[in-house]
């Protein structure tokens, strides 16, 4: 006779259901993963932005001290936004800076005066943090684009007829 035998149709139907089910699960997992990655990257951007603002505050603080010294006014105290990571010590040359933990594997890096601290530590740190933020923003943009694409695929997949509705179509092949 014409058409496919019932057991062939049932076999093809079961296989198609399995393929569709696996694809739906993989798509849902991909969407969930992208959503988690987006949240993580947004958190990293926030943390890095906080670090950058602390570094910029320290730079402004040093600039105010330098300007006061230049104008012969009262030099304001250095307000340390880094906590215990950066320690200061008053020396005959002004402030000395120690960057790093005392109990770490290596000794803290010593910067003998404010100028050295600013040019050798703060400026490169600020540049690096800005670069990291821009890279993270690009990554975030890419992830959002991938998520939007996956959601479009999910919407398109939902529009197709289910496999059960196609059983009669498969039987009519011949």
């Amino acid at each position: 006779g014409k058409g496919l035998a019932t057991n062939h149709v049932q076999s093809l139907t079961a296989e198609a259901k399995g393929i569709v089910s696996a694809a739906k699960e993989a798509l849902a997992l991909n969407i969930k993963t992208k959503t988690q990655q987006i949240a993580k990257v947004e958190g990293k951007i926030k943390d890095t932005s906080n670090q950058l603002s602390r570094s910029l505050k320290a730079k402004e603080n040093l600039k105010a001290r330098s300007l006061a010294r230049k104008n012969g006014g009262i030099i304001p105290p250095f307000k340390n936004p880094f906590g215990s990571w950066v320690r200061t010590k008053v020396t005959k040359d002004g402030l000395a800076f120690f960057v790093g933990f005392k109990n770490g594997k290596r000794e803290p890096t010593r910067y003998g005066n404010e100028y050295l601290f600013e040019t050798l530590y703060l400026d490169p740190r600020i540049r690096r943090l800005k670069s990291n933020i821009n890279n993270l923003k690009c990554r975030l943009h890419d992830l959002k684009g991938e998520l939007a694409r996956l959601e479009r695929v999910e919407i398109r997949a939902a529009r197709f007829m289910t496999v059960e509705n196609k059983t009669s179509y498969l039987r009519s092949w011949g």
Side-chain angles (χ1 to χ4, degrees):
K2 287 190 168 187
L4 296 170
T6 304
N7 61 341
H8 288 277
V9 172
Q10 289 172 345
S11 171
L12 289 172
T13 302
E15 196 171 324
K17 280 182 183 178
I19 291 170
V20 169
S21 173
K24 281 182 182 177
E25 284 179 28
L27 186 61
L29 183 64
N30 274 346
I31 289 173
K32 181 181 173 188
T33 303
K34 292 296 176 214
T35 307
Q36 290 171 344
Q37 287 174 339
I38 285 172
K40 195 169 186 177
V41 169
E42 285 172 341
K44 283 183 182 178
I45 288 173
K46 184 180 175 193
D47 292 346
T48 310
S49 297
N50 288 341
Q51 291 178 29
L52 178 63
S53 68
R54 280 197 303 271
S55 295
L56 290 172
K57 282 179 190 173
K59 188 162 173 83
E60 287 298 317
N61 201 327
L62 290 174
K63 194 181 287 185
R65 286 174 59 86
S66 174
L67 193 61
R69 193 177 298 115
K70 182 179 176 185
N71 295 336
I74 298 171
I75 299 172
F78 178 73
K79 295 178 191 129
N80 186 359
F82 298 108
S84 61
W85 179 251
V86 175
R87 291 181 314 285
T88 58
K89 184 177 180 183
V90 178
T91 63
K92 62 179 172 34
D93 298 330
L95 277 181
F97 293 86
F98 297 89
V99 178
F101 289 117
K102 207 172 198 174
N103 300 333
K105 288 184 179 178
R106 27 178 198 176
E107 284 294 310
T109 307
R110 182 182 191 278
Y111 299 97
N113 58 37
E114 295 174 24
Y115 175 76
L116 291 175
F117 176 70
E118 185 177 354
T119 56
L120 297 179
Y121 179 74
L122 269 183
D123 290 344
R125 179 179 171 79
I126 289 169
R127 273 196 309 275
R128 189 182 75 245
L129 290 171
K130 284 181 178 178
S131 172
N132 288 350
I133 289 171
N134 285 333
N135 290 340
L136 287 169
K137 284 181 179 176
C138 287
R139 176 79 178 121
L140 182 64
H141 180 266
D142 291 347
L143 284 171
K144 284 183 177 178
E146 289 175 31
L147 180 64
R149 182 188 61 78
L150 288 172
E151 287 171 345
R152 284 193 306 270
V153 167
E154 187 179 42
I155 290 169
R156 261 188 272 140
R159 285 188 204 150
F160 289 122
M161 289 189 301
T162 59
V163 174
E164 290 85 10
N165 296 344
K166 295 194 176 211
T167 304
S168 59
Y169 176 74
L170 287 173
R171 283 198 177 118
S172 67
W173 272 10

